[in-house]
Amino acid sequence: MNKTEMLYEGKAKKVWATEDENLCIVSYKDDATAFNGLKKGTIVGKGSINNRVSNYFMKIIEDKGIPTHVVEELSDRETLVKRVEIVPLEVIVRNIAAGSLAKRLGLEEGTVMSHPVLEFCYKNDALNDPMVNTSHIIAMGFATREELDLISKYSFQINEILKGILEMDNITLVDFKIEFGRMKDGTIILADEISPDTCRFWDSRTSEKLDKDRFRRDLGGVEDAYQEILKRVMGNK
Ligand code: UDP
C-alpha cells in the first residue's frame, strides 16, 4: 500500500491517505509536546516505541472483541489503519488520582480511586480541551447517546484488559486517554494510540514514573523510561 497525500500532521503523528480510500498510514514521530504545545522537545526512539507498543495493545484488545483501527504494522514507525472520522473526544479512564484529577479534586497524587473514573474532554486546542459531560456531548452532536454508551462500555473493558497485561510486567496503570473513530457504516472503533505518551505507567514496586510525565515534569531519563516500557511489555515479542 502506498501513501498518496498527507491528510494531517499532529503533534506526534502524521496521517497519510493511501490508494485505498478506506485505509490510512499513520507515521509516528519522535516529537514531543506538552501543555497544549507550550513545551516542545524530542524523545529519541519514541515514534518507534509508541508504534510497536500501541499495536501490541490494540491486537490484544481486538482479540478480546473490541474493534480497533489497526490493520497491519508496516515498519518500525508506520502502521496501516482503517480510515475513520475521529469522534472529537478524549476519553480518559483513571484508576489512581494524578495530574488534572488530583488538582481538580484536591486529591494527593497516588490516591487509589474506589472505582475507575471515566471522563470526556472535547478535543479542541483553541479551547484547551475542556471537560464535557454526556449531555454536552449529545447536545453538541459530538456523539449520540448510543455511541457514547458503547464508547463508555469499551473504555472500561479496555481498562481491565490493559491493567491485566501490565500487572504481569509490574506496571501499574494509573490512567490513560483513548480516542474512538467512526467508520463509513457508522461502526465505532478504537483509534489513535495507546502508549507512554497517552498513559500514566508507574513501576508497581518503586512507583517510578515510566511515561510522558518524565518529559512534562523535567524528571530526566525520558528515553530510558520509554525503552523500559517497550522491554517490559513486549520482551522479545
Ligand atoms: N492525556 C493525553 N493527552 C492529553 C491529555 C491527557 O494523552 O491531551 C493522558 C495523560 O497522559 C494521562 C491521562 O490522559 O495519562 C490523564 O491526563 P490528565 O487529565 O491528568 O492531564 P495532564 O496531567 O496531562 O494535564
Side-chain angles (χ1 to χ4, degrees):
M1 192 66 60
N2 291 310
K3 294 177 195 154
T4 52
E5 54 173 323
M6 191 168 77
L7 296 174
Y8 166 83
E9 176 160 13
K11 294 166 196 150
K13 295 188 284 289
K14 288 179 189 167
V15 182
W16 301 81
T18 67
E19 292 140 344
D20 183 331
E21 61 169 8
N22 295 313
L23 297 175
C24 290
I25 292 175
V26 176
S27 175
Y28 285 75
K29 307 193 286 188
D30 283 355
D31 298 354
T33 63
F35 313 117
N36 200 7
L38 278 178
K39 184 181 171 101
K40 290 194 174 70
T42 303
I43 301 174
V44 177
K46 172 172 88 77
S48 151
I49 292 172
N50 286 2
N51 183 40
R52 295 170 60 198
V53 167
S54 186
N55 290 341
Y56 177 73
F57 287 145
M58 292 229 189
K59 169 84 173 55
I60 296 171
I61 289 167
E62 182 97 46
D63 289 346
K64 300 268 184 190
I66 298 168
T68 76
H69 71 159
V70 174
V71 177
E72 188 190 358
E73 190 168 292
L74 298 175
S75 69
D76 240 25
R77 277 174 197 275
E78 292 188 340
T79 295
L80 187 65
V81 299
K82 292 175 187 157
R83 189 164 182 170
V84 291
E85 175 195 15
I86 291 285
V87 175
L89 296 173
E90 299 204 329
V91 182
I92 295 172
V93 182
R94 303 175 180 272
N95 299 303
I96 295 177
S100 66
L101 177 74
K103 209 171 151 190
R104 187 168 357 99
L105 295 186
L107 293 172
E108 192 180 338
E109 199 162 66
T111 307
V112 178
M113 307 308 286
S114 64
H115 188 274
V117 171
L118 182 67
E119 293 173 357
F120 301 105
C121 295
Y122 170 38
K123 264 171 72 78
N124 185 312
D125 285 343
L127 297 176
N128 232 332
D129 300 340
M131 189 185 283
V132 287
N133 66 24
T134 307
S135 51
H136 295 123
I137 294 167
I138 294 166
M140 294 290 289
F142 299 150
T144 64
R145 184 175 298 279
E146 292 68 33
E147 287 176 332
L148 208 49
D149 285 346
L150 191 60
I151 286 172
S152 304
K153 186 181 92 174
Y154 282 165
S155 299
F156 285 125
Q157 287 174 341
I158 291 166
N159 184 40
E160 295 307 318
I161 296 166
L162 294 177
K163 264 200 310 190
I165 305 170
L166 290 161
E167 253 165 31
M168 293 189 291
D169 305 321
N170 288 308
I171 300 165
T172 302
L173 179 62
V174 174
D175 58 31
F176 60 96
K177 184 267 304 178
I178 46 182
E179 295 179 24
F180 290 86
R182 205 180 273 120
M183 296 206 295
K184 265 191 195 148
D185 66 359
T187 310
I188 293 285
I189 66 176
L190 179 65
D192 195 51
E193 67 178 283
I194 302 176
S195 73
D197 268 12
T198 61
C199 303
R200 284 195 170 96
F201 294 137
W202 291 357
D203 184 300
S204 307
R205 287 166 295 197
T206 64
S207 293
E208 186 191 359
K209 294 182 184 9
L210 297 171
D211 55 58
K212 198 172 151 186
D213 270 348
R214 302 207 73 84
F215 170 77
R216 292 191 191 99
R217 303 181 187 188
D218 294 322
L219 299 176
V222 185
E223 275 89 0
D224 287 349
Y226 279 70
Q227 291 288 350
E228 182 66 21
I229 290 296
L230 177 71
K231 192 172 89 188
R232 286 204 206 175
V233 171
M234 302 201 52
N236 45 18
K237 287 175 202 91

